[in-house]
Amino acid sequence: YVEKTKAATTLWAIFLGGFGAHHFYLGKKVWGILYLVFCWTYIPFIIAMVEWIRYIRMSDEKFYSKLEMFSSKGTYAFFW
């Protein structure tokens, strides 16, 4: 088991977020694939920038509680 960190998630979101890298990192494969499929539209890039800002502004406690909830309930439990 590899521990996911908020810092790594924010870096994945800013640099490769348009391709869904941060979703793959967090284990959300369905969302990652959707980002890859639609990356040519640039919409995932815009959404990734919004998610990046949300990750930065989110407290560590809230981030890790959401991550724990996602790990226990599955792919669709990790909506921000």
Side-chain angles (χ1 to χ4, degrees):
Y1 174 73
V2 178
E3 183 177 339
K4 312 289 192 233
T5 64
K6 181 180 169 185
T9 304
T10 57
L11 289 173
W12 282 114
I14 190 66
F15 291 115
L16 293 172
F19 298 107
H22 58 299
H23 290 295
F24 285 115
Y25 175 73
L26 293 173
K28 299 186 297 181
K29 293 177 180 76
V30 174
W31 286 108
I33 291 169
L34 283 173
Y35 274 51
L36 279 175
V37 169
F38 291 104
C39 69
W40 63 274
T41 65
Y42 294 105
I43 293 171
F45 290 99
I46 295 167
I47 296 171
M49 293 302 105
V50 172
E51 290 175 332
W52 174 69
I53 292 168
R54 292 183 77 186
Y55 292 148
I56 288 176
R57 294 181 49 117
M58 188 179 296
S59 69
D60 289 344
E61 294 81 21
K62 186 173 180 181
F63 177 82
Y64 290 114
S65 71
K66 285 184 175 277
L67 184 61
E68 184 178 329
M69 179 182 66
F70 164 70
S71 298
S72 65
K73 293 188 179 181
T75 303
Y76 302 105
F78 202 66
F79 285 109
W80 295 97

